[in-house]
Amino acid sequence: MALLLSRDFVRGFRTVIPLWLGFVPFSLAYAMTARGAGLGVLETQLLSALVFAGGAQFSAVGLFAVGASGVEIVLTTLLLNVRHLLYGLSLSQRLLLTGPEKWVAAHLLTDEAYGVVLAEPHPSFAYLMGAGLSVFVPWNLFTLVGALLGQGVPDPAGLGVDFVFPLAFLALLAPMLRGGVEVGVAMLSGSIAVGGSQVLPGGVALLLAGVVGSFVGACCTAERPERSNPTEPEAS
Amino acid sequence: MNAWPIILGMAVVTYVPRVAGLWLRARVPPFWQRFLRFVPIAVFAALAIPALPGGRGEAEVRILAGVLASAVSWRFRKLWLGIAVGMVAYWGLR
C-alpha cells in the first residue's frame, strides 16, 4: 500500500497517461477482433491479463481466425516477445531490484513502461510499478469494454471491423521504417507471407516471414554497428 | 479449438524472456540485437500485408486507406491517429 502512495509510483503512473490515447483504441480493437475471431469474453480478458503484450495478442487473434495450430500461435508469440529479454537486460544495468521485485516487475515490462523508465534519470522500483500499472489497468479495462461491445455488434464484418487488424499493424509498422533496410525487410517479409500462405499454413508462413526478414535485416546492417534501440514507442 | 492451453503457453513464452532479462547479467551479441530489432518490422509486415486486400472485393479502397494510415502514422508517430484516419478513409470511400 505504501508503494501505491509513494511519490515515485504516482510520477511513473502519470508519465504514461498521455500514452493511453495510443493504446486504449488498440485494446478496444484487439478485444473486438478477438470476439469476432470466436474467443469468449473470459478468454479475451485472460489474454490481456496473463499475456499482456498487445502485438502478440493481436497476432494470436489473427491466427485463431485463420485456424492456425496452438504451436504456431505460441511460437509466433515467442518470436514477437523475445525482445522483452532486451528490456530486462537493459533495465537490470540501470536499476537494482531485489529478487521478489524482479518477479513482479517482469510481468509489467511492456514497450511503453520500458521506454518511460529508460527516459527517467533516477528510476526506482516504485516508478517502474507506477509506469507498468498505468499500462496494465487501462489495457485490461478497455479489453473488457471492447469484449462486451464486440458481443453486441450484430455484424462486425459489415462495419469493416476486420480492417482494423491490418490497419493497426500498418500504423505500428510505419514509424519503424526509418531507412532502406527497414523498408526492404518489411517488403521481403510481406512478400514471404503472401507467397508462403498459398502453400503453407498461415502460422508457419508468418514465422518464416518473421525469421527470414529479421535475419536478412541483421545481416544487412552488419556494416554499421548500431546500438539496438528498443525505446521506440511502439504503441504511442 | 480449446484456447486455454494456448493462452497459458503464450503467457509462459512472454513472461520467461521478461523475467530472464532482469535476472541475467549477460549481453546479447550485436548480431542478435539487430535481429531482435527487426523482428517487429518483419512480423508486423507479414501480418498486415496479406490481410490488407480483404476478401470482399474492397481491395482498392482498403489498400488506399492503408497507405493513407501508414503515411499519417509515419509522419505523426501516433498509432491512434493512423488507425482513426485509416478507418475514416475506409468508411468514406467504400
Side-chain angles (χ1 to χ4, degrees), chain A residues 146-211:
Chain A
L148 296 175
L149 278 178
Q151 212 167 15
V153 176
D155 178 19
L159 289 171
V161 170
D162 64 318
F163 186 53
V164 177
F165 174 72
L167 206 54
F169 281 110
L170 281 178
L172 281 169
L173 174 67
M176 297 180 189
L177 301 179
R178 282 184 274 192
V181 180
E182 284 82 356
V183 174
V185 166
M187 284 166 62
L188 173 68
S189 294
S191 310
I192 294 173
V194 171
S197 59
Q198 314 287 321
V199 287
L200 296 165
V204 177
L206 179 74
L207 262 181
L208 189 71
V211 171

Coordinates of all heavy atoms in Angstrom, one line a residue, chain A residues 146-211:
Chain A
G146 N -14.2 -3.5 -24.8 CA -14.3 -4.0 -26.2 C -14.9 -5.4 -26.3 O -15.6 -5.6 -27.3
A147 N -14.6 -6.3 -25.4 CA -15.1 -7.6 -25.4 C -16.6 -7.6 -25.3 O -17.3 -8.4 -26.0 CB -14.4 -8.5 -24.4
L148 N -17.1 -6.8 -24.4 CA -18.6 -6.7 -24.2 C -19.2 -6.0 -25.4 O -20.3 -6.4 -25.9 CB -18.9 -5.9 -23.0 CG -18.4 -6.7 -21.7 CD1 -18.7 -5.8 -20.4 CD2 -19.1 -8.0 -21.5
L149 N -18.6 -4.9 -26.0 CA -19.1 -4.2 -27.2 C -19.1 -5.2 -28.4 O -20.1 -5.2 -29.1 CB -18.2 -3.0 -27.5 CG -18.5 -1.7 -26.7 CD1 -17.5 -0.7 -27.2 CD2 -19.9 -1.2 -27.0
G150 N -18.0 -5.9 -28.5 CA -17.9 -6.8 -29.6 C -19.0 -7.8 -29.7 O -19.4 -8.3 -30.8
Q151 N -19.5 -8.2 -28.5 CA -20.6 -9.1 -28.4 C -21.9 -8.5 -29.0 O -22.7 -9.2 -29.6 CB -20.8 -9.5 -27.0 CG -21.3 -10.9 -26.7 CD -21.1 -11.2 -25.2 OE1 -20.9 -10.3 -24.4 NE2 -21.2 -12.5 -24.9
G152 N -22.0 -7.2 -28.7 CA -23.3 -6.5 -29.1 C -23.3 -6.1 -30.6 O -24.4 -5.8 -31.0
V153 N -22.2 -6.0 -31.2 CA -22.2 -5.6 -32.7 C -22.8 -6.8 -33.5 O -22.2 -7.9 -33.5 CB -20.8 -5.2 -33.1 CG1 -20.8 -4.9 -34.6 CG2 -20.3 -4.0 -32.3
P154 N -23.9 -6.6 -34.2 CA -24.5 -7.7 -34.9 C -23.6 -8.3 -36.0 O -23.5 -9.5 -36.1 CB -25.8 -7.1 -35.5 CG -25.6 -5.6 -35.4 CD -24.6 -5.3 -34.4
D155 N -23.1 -7.4 -36.9 CA -22.3 -8.0 -37.9 C -21.0 -7.2 -38.0 O -20.8 -6.2 -38.8 CB -23.0 -7.9 -39.3 CG -22.2 -8.3 -40.4 OD1 -21.2 -9.1 -40.2 OD2 -22.5 -8.0 -41.6
P156 N -20.0 -7.6 -37.2 CA -18.7 -6.8 -37.2 C -18.1 -6.7 -38.5 O -17.5 -5.6 -38.9 CB -17.8 -7.6 -36.2 CG -18.8 -8.5 -35.5 CD -19.9 -8.7 -36.4
A157 N -18.1 -7.7 -39.3 CA -17.5 -7.7 -40.7 C -18.2 -6.7 -41.6 O -17.5 -6.0 -42.3 CB -17.6 -9.1 -41.3
G158 N -19.5 -6.5 -41.4 CA -20.2 -5.5 -42.2 C -19.8 -4.1 -41.9 O -19.8 -3.2 -42.8
L159 N -19.4 -3.8 -40.7 CA -18.9 -2.5 -40.3 C -17.4 -2.3 -40.7 O -16.8 -1.2 -40.6 CB -19.0 -2.3 -38.8 CG -20.4 -2.1 -38.3 CD1 -20.3 -2.1 -36.7 CD2 -20.9 -0.8 -38.7
G160 N -16.8 -3.4 -41.2 CA -15.4 -3.3 -41.6 C -14.4 -3.4 -40.4 O -13.3 -3.0 -40.4
V161 N -14.9 -4.0 -39.3 CA -14.0 -4.2 -38.1 C -12.8 -5.0 -38.4 O -11.7 -4.8 -37.9 CB -14.8 -4.8 -36.9 CG1 -13.9 -5.1 -35.8 CG2 -15.9 -3.7 -36.4
D162 N -13.0 -5.9 -39.4 CA -11.8 -6.8 -39.7 C -10.7 -6.0 -40.4 O -9.6 -6.4 -40.4 CB -12.2 -7.9 -40.7 CG -12.8 -7.4 -42.0 OD1 -13.5 -6.4 -42.0 OD2 -12.4 -8.0 -43.1
F163 N -11.0 -4.8 -40.8 CA -10.0 -3.9 -41.4 C -9.1 -3.3 -40.4 O -8.0 -2.9 -40.7 CB -10.7 -2.8 -42.3 CG -9.7 -2.0 -43.1 CD1 -8.7 -2.6 -43.9 CD2 -9.7 -0.6 -43.0 CE1 -7.8 -1.8 -44.6 CE2 -8.8 0.2 -43.7 CZ -7.9 -0.4 -44.5
V164 N -9.6 -3.2 -39.1 CA -8.8 -2.6 -38.0 C -7.5 -3.4 -37.9 O -6.4 -2.9 -37.5 CB -9.5 -2.6 -36.7 CG1 -8.7 -2.1 -35.6 CG2 -10.8 -1.7 -36.8
F165 N -7.6 -4.7 -38.1 CA -6.4 -5.6 -37.9 C -5.2 -5.3 -38.7 O -4.2 -4.9 -38.2 CB -6.9 -7.1 -38.1 CG -5.8 -8.1 -38.0 CD1 -5.2 -8.4 -36.8 CD2 -5.4 -8.8 -39.1 CE1 -4.2 -9.4 -36.7 CE2 -4.5 -9.7 -39.1 CZ -3.8 -10.0 -37.9
P166 N -5.3 -5.3 -40.1 CA -4.2 -4.9 -40.9 C -3.8 -3.4 -40.7 O -2.6 -3.1 -40.7 CB -4.6 -5.2 -42.3 CG -6.0 -5.3 -42.3 CD -6.4 -5.8 -41.0
L167 N -4.8 -2.6 -40.4 CA -4.6 -1.2 -40.2 C -3.7 -0.9 -39.0 O -2.8 -0.1 -39.0 CB -6.0 -0.5 -40.1 CG -6.1 1.0 -40.4 CD1 -5.6 1.2 -41.9 CD2 -7.5 1.4 -40.3
A168 N -4.0 -1.6 -37.9 CA -3.3 -1.4 -36.7 C -1.8 -1.8 -36.9 O -0.9 -1.1 -36.4 CB -3.9 -2.2 -35.6
F169 N -1.6 -2.9 -37.6 CA -0.2 -3.3 -37.8 C 0.5 -2.4 -38.8 O 1.7 -2.1 -38.6 CB -0.2 -4.8 -38.3 CG -0.3 -5.7 -37.2 CD1 -1.5 -6.5 -37.0 CD2 0.6 -5.8 -36.2 CE1 -1.7 -7.3 -36.0 CE2 0.5 -6.6 -35.1 CZ -0.7 -7.4 -35.0
L170 N -0.2 -1.9 -39.8 CA 0.5 -0.9 -40.7 C 0.9 0.4 -39.9 O 2.0 0.9 -40.1 CB -0.5 -0.5 -41.8 CG -0.6 -1.5 -43.0 CD1 -1.6 -0.9 -44.0 CD2 0.8 -1.7 -43.7
A171 N 0.0 0.8 -39.0 CA 0.2 2.0 -38.2 C 1.3 1.8 -37.2 O 2.1 2.7 -36.8 CB -1.1 2.5 -37.5
L172 N 1.5 0.6 -36.7 CA 2.6 0.2 -35.8 C 3.9 0.2 -36.6 O 5.0 0.6 -36.1 CB 2.4 -1.1 -35.2 CG 1.4 -1.2 -34.0 CD1 1.2 -2.7 -33.7 CD2 2.0 -0.5 -32.8
L173 N 3.8 -0.4 -37.8 CA 5.0 -0.6 -38.6 C 5.6 0.7 -39.2 O 6.8 0.9 -39.2 CB 4.6 -1.5 -39.8 CG 5.6 -1.8 -40.9 CD1 6.8 -2.6 -40.3 CD2 5.0 -2.6 -42.0
A174 N 4.7 1.6 -39.7 CA 5.2 2.8 -40.5 C 6.3 3.6 -39.7 O 7.3 3.9 -40.3 CB 4.0 3.6 -40.8
P175 N 6.1 3.9 -38.4 CA 7.1 4.7 -37.8 C 8.5 4.0 -37.6 O 9.5 4.6 -37.4 CB 6.5 5.0 -36.4 CG 5.1 4.7 -36.5 CD 5.0 3.7 -37.5
M176 N 8.5 2.7 -37.8 CA 9.7 1.9 -37.6 C 10.5 1.9 -38.9 O 11.7 1.5 -39.0 CB 9.4 0.5 -37.3 CG 8.8 0.3 -35.9 SD 8.5 -1.5 -35.6 CE 7.5 -1.4 -34.2
L177 N 9.9 2.3 -40.0 CA 10.6 2.3 -41.4 C 11.4 3.5 -41.5 O 11.0 4.5 -42.2 CB 9.5 2.2 -42.5 CG 8.6 0.9 -42.4 CD1 7.6 0.9 -43.5 CD2 9.4 -0.3 -42.4
R178 N 12.6 3.5 -40.9 CA 13.4 4.7 -40.9 C 14.5 4.7 -41.9 O 15.3 5.6 -42.0 CB 13.9 5.0 -39.5 CG 12.9 5.6 -38.6 CD 13.4 5.9 -37.3 NE 13.4 4.7 -36.4 CZ 13.6 4.7 -35.1 NH1 13.9 5.9 -34.5 NH2 13.5 3.7 -34.4
G179 N 14.7 3.6 -42.6 CA 15.8 3.5 -43.6 C 15.5 2.4 -44.6 O 14.5 1.7 -44.6
G180 N 16.4 2.3 -45.6 CA 16.2 1.4 -46.7 C 16.2 0.0 -46.2 O 15.3 -0.8 -46.7
V181 N 17.0 -0.4 -45.3 CA 17.0 -1.8 -44.8 C 15.7 -2.1 -44.2 O 15.1 -3.2 -44.4 CB 18.2 -2.0 -43.8 CG1 18.1 -3.5 -43.4 CG2 19.5 -1.7 -44.5
E182 N 15.1 -1.2 -43.4 CA 13.8 -1.4 -42.7 C 12.7 -1.6 -43.7 O 11.9 -2.5 -43.6 CB 13.5 -0.2 -41.8 CG 14.3 -0.2 -40.5 CD 15.7 0.4 -40.6 OE1 16.1 0.7 -41.7 OE2 16.4 0.5 -39.6
V183 N 12.7 -0.7 -44.8 CA 11.7 -0.9 -45.8 C 11.9 -2.2 -46.5 O 10.9 -2.9 -46.8 CB 11.8 0.3 -46.8 CG1 10.8 0.1 -47.9 CG2 11.4 1.6 -46.1
G184 N 13.1 -2.5 -46.9 CA 13.4 -3.8 -47.6 C 12.9 -5.0 -46.8 O 12.3 -5.9 -47.3
V185 N 13.2 -5.0 -45.5 CA 12.8 -6.1 -44.6 C 11.3 -6.2 -44.6 O 10.7 -7.3 -44.7 CB 13.4 -6.0 -43.2 CG1 12.7 -6.9 -42.2 CG2 14.9 -6.2 -43.2
A186 N 10.6 -5.1 -44.5 CA 9.1 -5.1 -44.4 C 8.6 -5.7 -45.7 O 7.7 -6.5 -45.7 CB 8.6 -3.7 -44.2
M187 N 9.2 -5.3 -46.9 CA 8.7 -5.7 -48.2 C 9.0 -7.2 -48.4 O 8.1 -8.0 -48.8 CB 9.3 -4.9 -49.3 CG 8.6 -3.5 -49.4 SD 9.5 -2.4 -50.5 CE 9.4 -3.2 -52.0
L188 N 10.2 -7.6 -47.9 CA 10.5 -9.0 -48.0 C 9.6 -9.9 -47.2 O 9.1 -10.9 -47.7 CB 12.0 -9.2 -47.6 CG 12.5 -10.7 -47.5 CD1 12.6 -11.3 -48.9 CD2 13.9 -10.7 -46.8
S189 N 9.4 -9.5 -45.9 CA 8.6 -10.3 -45.1 C 7.1 -10.4 -45.5 O 6.5 -11.4 -45.5 CB 8.7 -9.8 -43.6 OG 10.0 -10.0 -43.1
G190 N 6.7 -9.2 -46.0 CA 5.3 -9.2 -46.5 C 5.1 -10.1 -47.7 O 4.1 -10.8 -47.8
S191 N 6.1 -10.1 -48.6 CA 6.1 -11.0 -49.8 C 6.1 -12.5 -49.4 O 5.4 -13.3 -49.9 CB 7.2 -10.7 -50.8 OG 7.3 -9.3 -51.0
I192 N 7.0 -12.8 -48.4 CA 7.1 -14.2 -48.0 C 5.8 -14.6 -47.4 O 5.3 -15.7 -47.6 CB 8.2 -14.4 -47.0 CG1 9.6 -14.1 -47.6 CG2 8.2 -15.8 -46.4 CD1 10.8 -14.1 -46.6
A193 N 5.1 -13.7 -46.6 CA 3.9 -14.0 -46.0 C 2.8 -14.2 -47.0 O 2.0 -15.2 -46.9 CB 3.4 -12.9 -45.0
V194 N 2.7 -13.4 -48.1 CA 1.7 -13.5 -49.1 C 2.0 -14.8 -49.9 O 1.1 -15.6 -50.1 CB 1.8 -12.3 -50.1 CG1 0.9 -12.5 -51.3 CG2 1.3 -11.0 -49.3
G195 N 3.2 -15.0 -50.4 CA 3.5 -16.2 -51.1 C 3.4 -17.5 -50.3 O 2.9 -18.5 -50.7
G196 N 4.0 -17.4 -49.1 CA 4.0 -18.6 -48.3 C 2.6 -19.1 -47.9 O 2.4 -20.3 -47.7
S197 N 1.7 -18.1 -47.7 CA 0.4 -18.5 -47.2 C -0.4 -19.3 -48.3 O -1.4 -19.9 -48.0 CB -0.4 -17.3 -46.7 OG -0.6 -16.4 -47.8
Q198 N 0.1 -19.2 -49.6 CA -0.5 -20.0 -50.6 C -0.2 -21.5 -50.4 O -1.0 -22.4 -50.8 CB 0.0 -19.6 -52.0 CG 0.0 -18.1 -52.3 CD -1.3 -17.5 -52.4 OE1 -2.2 -18.1 -53.1 NE2 -1.5 -16.3 -51.9
V199 N 1.0 -21.8 -49.9 CA 1.4 -23.2 -49.8 C 1.6 -23.7 -48.4 O 1.7 -24.9 -48.2 CB 2.7 -23.4 -50.6 CG1 2.4 -23.3 -52.1 CG2 3.8 -22.4 -50.3
L200 N 1.7 -22.8 -47.4 CA 1.9 -23.2 -46.1 C 0.7 -22.8 -45.2 O 0.0 -21.9 -45.5 CB 3.2 -22.6 -45.5 CG 4.5 -22.9 -46.2 CD1 5.6 -21.9 -45.8 CD2 4.9 -24.4 -45.8
P201 N 0.6 -23.5 -44.0 CA -0.4 -23.0 -43.0 C 0.0 -21.5 -42.6 O 1.2 -21.2 -42.6 CB -0.3 -23.9 -41.9 CG 0.5 -25.1 -42.4 CD 1.3 -24.7 -43.5
G202 N -1.1 -20.7 -42.3 CA -0.8 -19.3 -42.0 C 0.2 -19.0 -41.0 O 1.1 -18.1 -41.1
G203 N 0.2 -19.8 -39.9 CA 1.1 -19.5 -38.8 C 2.6 -19.8 -39.2 O 3.5 -19.1 -38.8
V204 N 2.8 -20.9 -40.0 CA 4.1 -21.2 -40.4 C 4.7 -20.2 -41.4 O 5.8 -19.8 -41.3 CB 4.1 -22.6 -41.1 CG1 5.5 -23.0 -41.6 CG2 3.7 -23.7 -40.1
A205 N 3.8 -19.7 -42.3 CA 4.2 -18.7 -43.2 C 4.6 -17.4 -42.5 O 5.6 -16.8 -42.8 CB 3.1 -18.3 -44.2
L206 N 3.9 -17.1 -41.4 CA 4.2 -15.9 -40.6 C 5.5 -16.0 -39.9 O 6.4 -15.1 -39.9 CB 3.1 -15.6 -39.6 CG 3.3 -14.4 -38.7 CD1 3.1 -13.1 -39.4 CD2 2.4 -14.5 -37.5
L207 N 5.7 -17.2 -39.3 CA 7.0 -17.5 -38.6 C 8.2 -17.4 -39.6 O 9.2 -16.7 -39.3 CB 7.0 -18.9 -38.0 CG 6.6 -19.0 -36.5 CD1 6.7 -20.4 -36.1 CD2 7.6 -18.2 -35.7
L208 N 8.0 -18.0 -40.7 CA 9.1 -18.0 -41.7 C 9.4 -16.6 -42.2 O 10.5 -16.2 -42.2 CB 8.6 -18.8 -43.0 CG 9.6 -19.1 -44.0 CD1 10.7 -20.1 -43.5 CD2 9.0 -19.7 -45.3
A209 N 8.3 -15.8 -42.4 CA 8.5 -14.4 -42.8 C 9.2 -13.6 -41.7 O 10.1 -12.8 -42.0 CB 7.1 -13.8 -43.2
G210 N 8.8 -13.8 -40.5 CA 9.4 -13.1 -39.3 C 10.9 -13.5 -39.2 O 11.7 -12.6 -39.0
V211 N 11.2 -14.8 -39.2 CA 12.6 -15.2 -39.0 C 13.5 -14.7 -40.2 O 14.6 -14.2 -40.0 CB 12.7 -16.7 -38.8 CG1 14.2 -17.2 -38.7 CG2 12.0 -17.1 -37.5

